[in-house]
Amino acid sequence: MYSSSLKQTSIQSPLSQMAIVRPKAASTKRTLVSSLMLTSLVDAFSILVIFLLMNTKSGIEQVELKKINQLPHATAMDTVTKGIVLRIEDNKYFVDEVQVSEATLAQKLEEAKTKFEAGTINGLKASVIVQADKKLDYEAVSPILRAGAAAGLNQFKFAVVEKSN
Amino acid sequence: MISTEQGSNKDQTFELNLVPFIDVLSTCICFLLMTAIWINVGVMNVSQAIGSEPPANGKNPPSVIADIKNDGSVQLSLKDVGANKKPVMYDVRSSGGRIDWERVEAYVGTLQANIPELKTALVMPSARTKYEDVIRIMDMFKKSKITDIGIAPLTGT
């Protein structure tokens, strides 16, 4: 036989049960319902889950997490989109995580551009996402612009971290 | 009156057992909190001109050029503004070997108010200019609603 879970979880008042003159433990009358209102708790948890899911960054995987602290700061920035990731680390260049020399940078970028544009359906133009240490001299960044121009790439995206005001 | 449960006193109301729901949601929250990335990473877009295409109407749009020298001084020059064909120069001397950001920011901040049609900027860093300084000046231009920003590569590299 079915019985309501609310009724199952109802308890009697401990003070009434311990009364000597007229203990209520013997009677069937119940005085206090201790069931928690779990619905509001579920609502709150659902809102939290939705908020956290909405805050999940989709483009963050383009930027290597361990390098985030070294990126320069900016306030007027755009969202990260897909592109050819070019990273400078210890004056070495990495195109899509493969180390390349400065002499072959243009060639590798052209190959990566062809591969990227072949893989897109809506004719999305390839762009270069540059990840470099903020303390780097510009002379290390300049060859990327030259190589990009030689490879026919004119869109450059410099990865930055949002500056908190 | 027809009743399918004639004579029964069964309670038709029932309550869902919400404890498993709470367990699942708690697990979800823990997972999302632990995997959440609280640093906002973005990009600074730069469109480089390839080749030298002449402007469509034969007139160059107004532009500002920021020439950052190795000693930290910045020369800002306005080109093709109004009828004035001669570039308007503004020099910001370095402060202790570093860029005087307050003066640069003050000047860049007035550009949009004085020349609303100004949308193009070119940054010309030197070999020893720090990458963060290049990004900072580009950020200033972006904040001043100058959207078409380019960077000049070093000559002879």
Side-chain angles (χ1 to χ4, degrees):
Chain A
M1 184 179 162
Y2 175 78
S3 175
S4 164
S5 60
L6 197 66
K7 285 179 181 174
Q8 285 173 5
T9 52
S10 66
I11 61 163
Q12 292 171 335
S13 166
L15 278 173
S16 303
Q17 287 174 17
M18 291 175 76
I20 297 164
V21 179
R22 193 186 290 171
K24 290 204 172 177
S27 69
T28 54
K29 191 177 179 183
R30 291 173 179 183
T31 56
L32 182 67
V33 175
S34 72
S35 174
L36 283 169
M37 293 306 290
L38 295 177
T39 316
S40 51
L41 200 63
V42 172
D43 289 350
F45 276 25
S46 306
I47 291 164
L48 264 174
V49 168
I50 291 163
F51 169 76
L52 288 167
L53 281 171
M54 296 280 281
N55 268 10
T56 307
K57 306 285 185 305
S58 57
I60 196 86
E61 69 273 7
Q62 293 276 341
V63 179
E64 198 179 338
L65 291 175
K66 67 180 178 185
K67 300 292 168 199
I68 276 179
N69 289 335
Q70 297 170 2
L71 293 176
H73 291 78
T75 48
M77 60 184 203
D78 303 297
T79 51
V80 184
T81 51
K82 280 190 179 291
I84 303 159
V85 179
L86 201 158
R87 186 161 53 88
I88 311 171
E89 197 176 330
D90 303 326
N91 287 325
K92 290 173 190 151
Y93 300 97
F94 295 85
V95 177
D96 289 330
E97 299 304 318
V98 179
Q99 191 183 338
V100 293
S101 65
E102 195 181 320
T104 57
L105 196 55
Q107 185 199 335
K108 294 290 175 191
L109 280 176
E110 198 168 358
E111 285 172 16
K113 182 194 170 209
T114 312
K115 195 178 164 186
F116 181 88
E117 288 177 356
T120 55
I121 302 164
N122 52 0
L124 184 75
K125 289 268 182 190
S127 58
V128 184
I129 300 170
V130 181
Q131 295 175 34
D133 188 346
K134 59 187 172 188
K135 297 290 174 200
L136 214 62
D137 286 337
Y138 181 67
E139 64 182 343
V141 183
S142 180
I144 296 172
L145 302 172
R146 288 194 165 278
L153 291 155
N154 64 341
Q155 290 288 325
F156 290 87
K157 296 171 190 288
F158 296 96
V160 289
V161 174
E162 190 177 32
K163 191 194 283 180
S164 54
N165 290 320
Chain B
M1 185 179 168
I2 300 164
S3 174
T4 52
E5 291 183 17
Q6 285 177 353
S8 70
N9 288 325
K10 274 190 178 175
D11 192 356
Q12 291 298 307
T13 59
F14 66 94
E15 287 130 28
L16 278 172
N17 191 5
L18 294 175
V19 178
F21 282 108
I22 291 169
D23 290 348
V24 169
L25 288 170
S26 307
T27 313
C28 279
I29 288 167
C30 291
F31 171 75
L32 289 167
L33 278 173
M34 282 191 287
T35 56
I37 296 155
W38 303 101
I39 301 166
N40 204 1
V41 176
V43 287
M44 183 80 64
N45 282 328
V46 169
S47 295
Q48 295 289 94
I50 296 175
S52 54
E53 288 179 19
N57 57 358
K59 192 185 167 189
N60 288 318
S63 59
V64 57
I65 298 168
D67 191 357
I68 309 169
K69 310 283 186 197
N70 275 329
D71 62 351
S73 62
V74 181
Q75 188 182 59
L76 293 149
S77 51
L78 287 165
K79 285 178 74 182
D80 304 301
V81 178
N84 194 1
K85 293 285 171 196
K86 202 177 172 185
V88 180
M89 303 286 196
Y90 182 77
D91 285 309
V92 180
R93 287 185 182 175
S94 64
S95 161
R98 305 190 74 178
I99 297 169
D100 189 349
W101 287 113
E102 281 184 18
R103 286 185 64 201
V104 173
E105 197 160 9
Y107 182 76
V108 172
T110 58
L111 286 175
Q112 195 57 34
N114 296 331
I115 315 153
E117 66 273 18
L118 183 66
K119 298 285 174 208
T120 310
L122 179 68
V123 183
M124 294 174 67
S126 302
R128 296 282 164 223
T129 306
K130 295 288 172 203
Y131 175 58
E132 64 178 335
D133 293 340
V134 178
I135 295 292
R136 188 166 174 179
I137 204 158
M138 280 162 55
D139 190 32
M140 279 181 195
F141 285 135
K142 286 251 179 191
K143 278 195 279 186
S144 297
K145 307 278 188 286
I146 300 169
T147 48
D148 300 330
I149 301 171
I151 310 179
L154 295 171
T155 51
T157 55

